[in-house]
Amino acid sequence: MPTRRGARSLTLSECVKLETRQKTVDAFCLERIAKDIMAPSLTRLNQAVMLCRNGLLYEGGVEGELRKDLIEQDLLESVISLPSGLFQQTSIPVSLIVLNKNKEHKGYVRFVDVSECFVEGSSKQRRLDLAKVETLLSSVGALAKSVGLKEVEKEEFNFSPALYLSPEIELNEDESLVSLGELVELLKPSKEETDQASLIRISELSNDVFNAVTDFSNLPKKEFKRGRQFLLAEPALIMATKGEKLKPTYFDSSREAVSVSSELFVARIDEN
């Protein structure tokens, strides 16, 4: 990582330790790298690659402003989703952000998902299957795609590859796919302000396919982090954006407002 005079690169271990203290280390590093890329003193290639937690790809606040700047300056060349379990220090899923001042395809960003390109190693630690990764990086299909900057802007500068990559689904002649946005109205964050609220994560959603009602009243209150969490104060259906199941769960607005983590999406319910 390029550094300024008097500064040094953070090791992955140091980043993990700071991450557990809820510091946005990756946001700081990304901002610093982007500024250095625009500086004439960088290497002749004018490139940089950063390993980051996936939250940096979609969270609001400072992270959202950084992503917007990268798109407006056309610095982002590609985003690559990696498998979880690659590092001994942490099992969280991570991604690579590739910045390039002189990228070949101006006006486009390449999104690639290599999250399944791994082999199991010793001590349950995974290793990248480099042959599969190399194939995906040079291909076009369900797991690799170049997207125009206008489309990224339309998605509010979300860098999550899964948002732009469609899985291969076999359909019969009389079947067709419909986006979730065509079926339900997705809610935008409430403008209400609060210091603390009960936080709903994927683990709190209902696992019962026959009963979508869950009691959230006993959840402890935690500090509300605007940009990373969604304040919900009206009837809604909450669903997971990760994992194999949507886990649809009903939220009753008769209770006080709750905070919803960024790994969930929320749809409006008409109770009339």
Side-chain angles (χ1 to χ4, degrees), residues 56-108:
L56 184 63
L57 306 180
Y58 56 79
E59 290 174 352
V62 174
E63 290 86 347
E65 291 299 319
L66 281 172
R67 296 195 304 273
K68 180 180 178 182
D69 288 343
L70 292 177
I71 293 300
E72 291 179 345
Q73 296 180 62
D74 201 4
L75 283 178
L76 183 65
E77 184 168 42
S78 60
V79 181
I80 305 170
S81 292
L82 299 177
S84 60
L86 290 177
F87 307 103
Q88 292 181 343
Q89 297 94 334
T90 177
S91 61
I92 63 172
V94 293
S95 296
L96 290 175
I97 292 179
V98 182
L99 305 181
N100 189 349
K101 183 179 179 181
N102 298 322
K103 65 184 189 180
E104 182 178 356
H105 302 290
K106 295 286 187 179
Y108 287 87

Side-chain angles (χ1 to χ4, degrees), residues 166-271:
S166 301
E168 295 181 348
I169 301 175
E170 295 185 3
L171 299 174
N172 297 323
E173 292 183 359
D174 59 342
E175 296 177 328
S176 61
L177 295 177
V178 179
S179 68
L180 185 62
E182 295 179 51
L183 300 176
V184 297
E185 180 184 355
L186 299 182
L187 285 176
K188 295 182 178 180
S190 168
K191 294 183 179 180
E192 293 184 24
E193 295 286 344
T194 186
D195 294 326
Q196 290 189 327
S198 298
L199 176 61
I200 300 177
R201 298 188 178 93
I202 289 181
S203 57
E204 274 79 50
L205 298 186
S206 174
N207 281 309
D208 189 344
V209 295
F210 299 105
N211 183 11
V213 179
T214 298
D215 184 7
F216 298 120
S217 60
N218 295 323
L219 291 178
K221 290 188 175 183
K222 297 187 177 182
E223 179 186 359
F224 178 71
K225 299 178 181 178
R226 178 166 294 281
R228 296 191 180 191
Q229 297 168 8
F230 186 113
L231 190 62
L232 180 61
E234 61 179 286
L237 185 66
I238 307 173
M239 292 166 280
T241 62
K242 301 178 181 178
E244 299 178 354
K245 298 180 180 179
L246 285 175
K247 302 179 69 173
T249 303
Y250 173 69
F251 171 70
D252 182 359
S253 63
S254 64
R255 306 181 188 279
E256 62 180 336
V258 296
S259 173
V260 180
S261 73
S262 56
E263 61 191 6
L264 306 174
F265 59 85
V266 185
R268 174 173 281 118
I269 291 180
D270 187 356
E271 294 189 325

